[in-house]
Amino acid sequence: MTFVLHRAERADVLAEVLAGILATPPADPFTQEVVAVHSRGVERWLAHRLSAHLGTSPGRADGVCAHLEFPFPGRLVQSALAEVTGLDPDADPWRPERLAWPLLDVVEANLHEPWLYVLAGHLGVGASPSSANEDDDLARRDRRFAAVRHLADLYDRYAVHRPAMVLAWNDGRDEDGDGHPLDPSVAWQAELWRRLRAAVGDPSPAERSADGCAALVAEPGLVDLPERLFLFGLTRLPASYFDVLEALAAHRDVHLLALHPSPAAWATDEQESLRHPLLRAWGRDSHEMGMVLRGRLATATHAATDDRHHPLPDETTADASLLHRLQAAIRADDPPDAAGARPALDPADRSLQVHACHG
């Protein structure tokens, strides 16, 4: 089976691509299709767009979007791993809200150890309070649980975005996941994680993911998922998610419909080499996703891969508005015109507006 990447600069183009695939029903017409989305707002918008394509009368947009499931991408990945590992995600001891309590015990037991001096200093442990700073030190000690809860969230994000780093820590190596040693100022996080792993006892998400992916490839029937899956409108994809999706694609078609602002930017690895300042400043997430996907598509081992760019429809009428020119420049990664070469603005052009607002 195949992992297919669909790229486009606009969400409506991706919606039409998705509708075209869904128009061909699965072998079992009662199969519920799965389309992962990153927000409920996107779910409502996408369902509305699909209803204008699926089941319509000739020449009309009177169709219906039905029998589709819209999970979040994280939930889709976690549910697949849960089915093959036998662990209910809601009972996972590594969920941040559960992990905070054993982590608090580990921190309390090691706060006076030399290797944990950075965290101890943050919490006001080991200081010599005077009348001038005693209240401040007491306040820092009182915020201990908040700091530990933040660390639990941090370890959870590491497992999602940097699983190779967590696996290196598990093997006793203080590395960043790419083979480079950790900076001494953050090396305490690796030692703290190892002591937390011993306290929890159960395998961490990064460990379970490797075993779960192997099980998905070996026994595809372990998960109750249809013969094809879709992920719509993503602008970022953590490395751990790709591992699971590639394993699923060994026996299913997995379609990732990704928004990417510029085909020109897709081909480069250097964010700073982009010429358009807005593309450099605002396109970082999609650029990093592009780097990850290009590398992973080239080295995928469990499934065939396909990278498809869907260009925008031809513009039948010339649009000289400021917004249109800006969008075209971002897509092509064209630098702004020199001050003397910029076209005059139409006073009636309201296509691009700047509003002052709170936040």
Side-chain angles (χ1 to χ4, degrees), residues 11-204:
D12 59 328
V13 174
L14 292 177
E16 291 187 7
V17 171
L18 176 59
I21 301 173
L22 291 175
T24 302
D28 181 357
F30 294 102
T31 298
Q32 185 176 31
E33 304 268 27
V34 174
V35 181
V37 294
H38 60 81
S39 73
R40 290 302 167 216
V42 171
E43 174 189 345
R44 290 189 292 271
W45 176 86
L46 182 58
H48 178 74
R49 298 288 301 198
L50 291 176
S51 67
H53 295 275
L54 302 177
T56 58
S57 304
R60 301 184 64 180
D62 57 351
V64 62
C65 175
H67 209 44
L68 267 69
E69 181 184 2
F70 293 96
F72 291 131
R75 193 65 181 180
L76 172 63
V77 168
Q78 292 166 6
S79 297
L81 288 177
E83 290 189 55
V84 297
T85 60
L87 178 63
D88 181 359
D90 293 330
D92 186 356
W94 287 87
R95 286 176 65 95
E97 59 271 23
R98 292 174 176 267
L99 191 64
W101 298 105
L103 180 55
L104 182 61
D105 291 338
V106 174
V107 168
E108 292 280 1
N110 293 277
L111 263 181
H112 295 282
E113 294 289 335
W115 58 269
L116 202 55
Y117 76 95
V118 173
L119 182 59
H122 174 71
L123 297 175
V125 175
S128 298
S130 65
S131 58
N133 61 13
E134 182 176 359
D135 290 341
D136 179 63
D137 287 336
L138 289 174
R140 289 198 292 176
R141 294 187 185 102
D142 289 341
R143 71 186 182 192
R144 189 167 301 178
F145 180 79
V148 167
R149 183 64 175 82
H150 173 73
L151 276 172
D153 286 326
L154 195 63
Y155 283 150
D156 182 64
R157 290 196 294 271
Y158 287 163
V160 172
H161 296 278
R162 303 295 299 273
M165 180 176 70
V166 176
L167 291 175
W169 294 358
N170 190 63
D171 292 338
R173 305 191 311 274
D174 294 353
E175 297 178 355
D176 63 357
D178 295 323
H180 304 124
L182 293 175
D183 187 276
S185 64
V186 297
W188 60 270
Q189 294 187 27
E191 179 60 26
L192 181 62
W193 186 92
R194 284 189 286 269
R195 300 201 180 201
L196 174 64
R197 170 66 175 82
V200 173
D202 295 324
S204 67

